[in-house]
Amino acid sequence: MITNTVQTLIEEVKDLSGQTNATNAKVIRLLNRGTDRLSAIRLEIARKSGWDSRNQTDVSRVTTTTSDATLQLEDELLTLLELERENADGTFTTLNPIDRRDSQYAALKNQTGTPSAYDMNGRLLRPLPAPTASVTYRLTYGRPHPRYTVDNLTQGSGVMPTEEEFVIFYAADRLMIGMSDSARAAVRNELTVMERNIEKMAANVDQATPKRLIPSTRATTNRFGRQTGSSGFTNRTR
């Protein structure tokens, strides 16, 4: 699929907003806000099918082997799609998400053994029951679109052509703050319609159900990621 370059997006934002003297750096900052918003919409709706930018160079899946009671999530994670545990035969079993409102939580949190579920508190995952030996986990997650930069204006937009327009209008709307109400209102109205259409499209593909998340304070724990350390942080895999 052919998409426009970042330079093309910049030019369209300037034309739409009338701010032809705006610097590329300023427009790119606003385009990145637009891709952030697009990522949030797509990932919130697409809980099952997931979504990822075409500009990503790896898959949004990581593994780690540890016996720790808690795991720290990837910094770039926006939504958790699946947490799996590797079995002795090399196959993977999906762990079920639960939280303190579920009836089995009280029993599982006081047990040890082979994890069959997990509780998510903010940026932490707690496998339940707590493992008594090292376990290999595989985490699949949703992440935001990578940042555009002024150093790479010839790269593709990384999103579908129908989504490019949303990102352009989002950046133009922010660039037009302070201008006349009527000029910005026209852009804002179009942006609202585009956002609803993206939500409908993602929902039709996904038929998603919401997940329950509980905020919590940050703690020092084992971490999913690219690092290599004593806890066995490992690579990204398919």
Side-chain angles (χ1 to χ4, degrees), residues 98-224:
I98 66 170
D99 63 32
R100 296 170 185 173
R101 292 171 289 178
D102 294 312
S103 58
Q104 67 268 42
Y105 177 85
L108 287 175
K109 74 173 183 178
N110 294 319
Q111 295 178 7
T112 58
T114 301
S116 60
Y118 69 89
D119 177 31
M120 181 175 179
N121 284 341
R123 308 299 295 181
L124 299 178
L125 292 177
R126 184 182 301 278
L128 299 170
T132 55
S134 291
V135 177
T136 295
Y137 300 97
R138 185 167 68 182
L139 174 70
T140 305
Y141 61 95
R143 57 188 171 181
H145 188 286
R147 288 300 205 236
Y148 300 134
T149 67
V150 293
D151 300 325
N152 192 6
L153 300 183
T154 59
Q155 76 171 143
S157 68
V159 299
M160 297 175 60
T162 54
E163 296 169 335
E164 285 180 353
E165 189 175 25
F166 171 82
V167 174
I168 291 167
F169 269 71
Y170 190 97
D173 175 62
R174 295 303 185 268
L175 194 59
M176 295 172 72
I177 291 177
M179 295 179 61
S180 66
D181 291 341
S182 59
R184 189 186 177 200
V187 172
R188 188 66 186 174
N189 291 339
E190 288 289 334
L191 181 63
T192 301
V193 173
M194 292 176 196
E195 183 168 330
R196 290 173 181 170
N197 288 338
I198 291 172
E199 290 175 348
K200 290 178 182 178
M201 180 177 64
N204 288 336
V205 172
D206 195 70
Q207 299 180 354
T209 55
K211 292 183 180 294
R212 296 172 292 179
L213 304 180
I214 304 173
S216 178
T217 56
R218 192 181 184 93
T220 302
T221 62
N222 184 68
R223 177 186 183 82
F224 283 105

